[in-house]
Amino acid sequence: MPDPAREECTVLTRDRAPVTDPETHRRSLRERFAGDGAATDRALAAMDEAPAVHVAPSAQIRMDTWTRGRVALLGDAGYCPDPMTGQGSTLALVGACVLGGAIVRARGDHRVALPAYERAMRPFVDPNLAMGGTNTGLVAPDTGPTGLRARSWVLRGLTRLSSLVGTPPGMRRAYEFPLGEHVPH
């Protein structure tokens, strides 16, 4: 249960190599953000007093195959897109439905079902994986204040453009999946 007396903060940074040591991470955050404003200074002070700091890299899973023998991976285990896509849960749920449908259609024969699952999911997963780096670059540009202003300008333009012409085909492939075709009725 959330504790209203406890401050929590999520910080996305772009580092060449993942930082896994909490003390190194704290030092890096202090160096990067000190003097960025009163709210940032309060967050940095709270971080220094915090009993624990969790550090985890944002990672993407790319595999040539998600199945072997009778085992199938789905969701983050098989194709974690990147937290910045917002598609992890969607991919996991669609994957579970498609896998279940493939097993039913194959009457339980995993040698038929598992390749069918991969064939059905790959055109949906690949565009989502491709969005990962793009979305991370938009959310956390590594170009400083100029990059943040450019990001805001680009996002406003994309929003306006999408409202006029609709979602671009590449993005539609990442967001639309014909689930009814894969789940037996």
Side-chain angles (χ1 to χ4, degrees):
M1 171 175 267
D3 179 357
R6 186 173 81 194
E7 290 189 50
E8 294 185 23
C9 179
T10 300
V11 178
L12 175 66
T13 61
R14 297 182 66 179
D15 297 301
R16 299 277 181 239
V19 177
T20 56
D21 172 53
E23 287 311 312
T24 302
H25 191 64
R26 287 180 199 215
R27 185 173 51 255
S28 172
L29 292 176
R30 279 192 301 277
E31 290 169 3
R32 289 179 183 187
F33 299 110
D36 243 7
T40 303
D41 291 341
R42 279 193 307 276
L44 290 171
M47 175 189 69
D48 286 336
E49 297 167 10
V53 171
H54 175 72
V55 178
S58 172
Q60 193 177 66
I61 303 296
R62 290 182 180 253
M63 300 176 75
D64 293 333
T65 183
W66 306 314
T67 63
R68 183 174 294 151
R70 293 178 170 269
V71 175
L73 300 176
L74 58 93
D76 285 355
Y79 34 81
C80 177
D82 182 284
M84 295 301 109
T85 67
Q87 287 289 92
S89 297
T90 298
L91 287 172
L93 291 169
V94 169
C97 290
V98 170
L99 179 58
I103 291 169
V104 168
R105 283 199 168 103
R107 300 190 193 293
D109 185 346
H110 69 281
R111 294 166 298 192
V112 174
L114 299 186
Y117 155 70
E118 287 207 41
R119 279 192 308 274
M121 286 298 293
R122 189 62 70 174
F124 185 49
V125 169
D126 287 346
N128 278 281
L129 290 173
M131 278 193 329
T134 302
N135 287 10
T136 298
L138 284 172
V139 171
D142 59 1
T143 54
T146 302
L148 290 172
R149 282 192 293 282
R151 177 210 54 199
S152 296
W153 182 80
V154 167
L155 289 177
R156 277 194 302 276
L158 287 174
T159 301
R160 288 184 186 126
L161 183 63
S162 289
S163 68
L164 294 173
V165 299
T167 306
M171 286 185 74
R172 270 199 302 274
R173 284 190 298 276
Y175 290 111
E176 296 177 0
F177 186 85
L179 193 55
E181 295 175 16
H182 299 280
V183 178
H185 301 288

